[in-house]
Amino acid sequence: MDFKGLLIFKTVYDVKSLNKAAKILGYSQSNLTSHLKKMEHELRATLFIRSFDGMKPTAQGHQFYAFSNSTLEKFAQIKLSFKSVKPLLLISELLFQFIVIEKTEYQIESTDIVIKKTCEIENEINQHNYDKVITFKEFKHKDYDLTETGYLPVAFLKSSKVTTHLHLPVLINNDADCPLRAKTLAIYPQLTNIITIDSLSQLLNLVEKGQAIALLPVFFAQDKLTPLDTLQYQIDYFCYQHQSV
């Protein structure tokens, strides 16, 4: 078992899909399956139940997730304490999927990437130095210069299996600084059936199952998800560079 295996397990756990995890990590599905089987053999435990609906963690899988999260976080911290020869990028979770995975503006092989929630970005730059920071939340810091702005296209999405969404609740992320959360609350200020979800992966899972709708990046509208209508919104993001670069 190694850090690569832990990262593969964590990613599969987060997105509940081998296909999505393979796309995020840049590995083949067979590579991911091989690593998961190896870990399950070493642990003598079943970590996931494979089904047509995705990868469902077992009770042992939930327990191992806590260990993996803690271990990878400590590994990331020790890496930050060492001087890196690669550029170091700090980025919000959704922006990682949009800029790194969808737009391929950064290569995982040549860039050290740290992913944090929007609400964690400011604290992170006060503790560590990054070459570049990409975040939804504009900030002022003596060591960083704003170099570029962009926008993330978003829309309200539902499961492709759902014919009518009028009875469905609306989901928002529990990240207080998440702009999609703020935009949703601004669009539906009087709505009572809004539910807060702990993580993006859980939110996506519920929408894909047809149990709710949510404001999400347009690039998620593929086989399992479809827009409610033709309305789209733009969420601004900000790119900063450290003055030492």
Side-chain angles (χ1 to χ4, degrees), residues 1-2 5-10 13 35-36 38-40 42-43 45-48 57-72:
M1 191 180 305
D2 53 22
L6 292 180
L7 180 59
I8 287 173
F9 167 80
K10 180 183 182 302
Y13 182 100
H35 272 84
L36 289 175
K38 181 180 178 182
M39 280 190 287
E40 289 182 325
E42 290 183 22
L43 293 168
T46 300
L47 300 176
F48 294 102
T58 63
Q60 292 167 317
H62 289 304
Q63 185 178 357
F64 189 63
Y65 180 75
F67 165 79
S68 299
N69 238 0
S70 174
T71 302
L72 289 170

Side-chain angles (χ1 to χ4, degrees), residues 158-168 210 213 226-228:
K158 64 178 180 65
S159 170
S160 302
K161 300 178 291 186
V162 170
T163 55
T164 176
H165 65 277
L166 298 179
H167 64 290
L168 295 176
I213 63 172
T226 184
L228 297 189

Side-chain angles (χ1 to χ4, degrees), residues 117-120 122 136-137 174-182:
K117 291 184 177 181
T118 301
C119 63
E120 299 172 333
E122 190 169 353
F136 288 117
K137 189 175 181 180
N174 70 343
D175 182 351
D177 290 330
C178 175
L180 277 72
R181 171 193 172 102

